[in-house]
Amino acid sequence: MRLFLALPVPDAWAAAADGTLAALPAPLRAELRPIPRAELHVTLRFLGELPASRLSVLEHALARLLPPVDVTIAPGPAALLGPSRRERVLALGATGAGLAELAVRAERAAIAAGLPPTDPPFAGHMTIARVPDGLSAGARRALAAAVSALPPPRAAHARVLAVELMESTGGEPGARYRTVARYG
């Protein structure tokens, strides 16, 4: 099972994602693969592949160490994320009261379940589009310049009272997510 921890986002954040994409030059926007609205979320911690036989250990650690959940989040600036010069996604940052502390609890729970520590450390984000692997170096540079010039997104702060353990199936570009459990 390919798992991650996520925070649900309000509809206003989907509108912010749409606005961010619309602000990009049309030729660059056409190269991206937008994430469907129903799939938008703030990634709290990627957990990776986990055998189904270890799921109960993870769920126990999350139930013990993650709650209570009560954070207020706001969308941050757009950025390209991924290995140097091979950005894989366009994302909006996520900031907010209690978010970093919640991420620390998520990290502790993952480690308690036997998963390796996250490297690099937590950086909350909402992926809004995927960048195709075949994008030329020139198009990548143009995309990076356009993204760095984008204004901050407009979306209201959102109060989040639960973290969702999500399973990703189908692989890119057609990955689909389902909620395995909720903690709050």
Side-chain angles (χ1 to χ4, degrees):
M1 303 177 77
R2 186 176 169 89
L3 301 170
F4 62 95
L5 296 172
L7 303 176
V9 295
D11 289 340
W13 282 41
D18 291 344
T20 298
L21 290 170
L24 291 171
L28 293 173
R29 189 173 57 244
E31 295 287 345
L32 301 175
R33 296 187 310 266
I35 303 299
R37 278 182 172 233
E39 304 288 323
L40 292 174
H41 61 272
V42 171
T43 301
L44 184 62
R45 195 338 177 142
F46 181 70
L47 300 166
E49 293 290 336
L50 187 74
S53 62
R54 290 191 46 211
L55 183 60
S56 64
V57 172
L58 174 63
E59 288 180 317
H60 177 73
L62 291 170
R64 186 171 48 91
L65 297 171
L66 204 51
V69 177
D70 189 355
V71 296
T72 300
I73 57 174
L80 293 170
L81 304 178
S84 179
R85 289 192 214 92
R86 294 301 296 174
E87 293 84 3
R88 306 281 318 266
V89 301
L90 172 60
L92 294 180
T95 62
L99 186 58
E101 195 269 329
L102 180 60
V104 167
R105 292 197 321 262
E107 182 72 8
R108 286 182 185 145
I111 291 169
L115 298 173
T118 300
D119 185 31
F122 169 74
H125 66 279
M126 178 176 75
T127 298
I128 63 173
R130 299 203 185 284
V131 178
D133 287 336
L135 198 61
S136 72
R140 284 183 183 278
R141 284 191 299 276
L143 179 60
V147 168
S148 68
L150 289 172
R154 294 185 195 185
H157 287 67
R159 186 173 180 198
V160 179
L161 299 173
V163 173
E164 297 178 346
L165 174 62
M166 306 291 291
E167 180 182 18
S168 174
T169 58
E172 292 183 36
R176 293 289 173 237
Y177 310 128
R178 79 170 181 93
T179 302
V180 175
R182 291 176 59 94
Y183 306 91

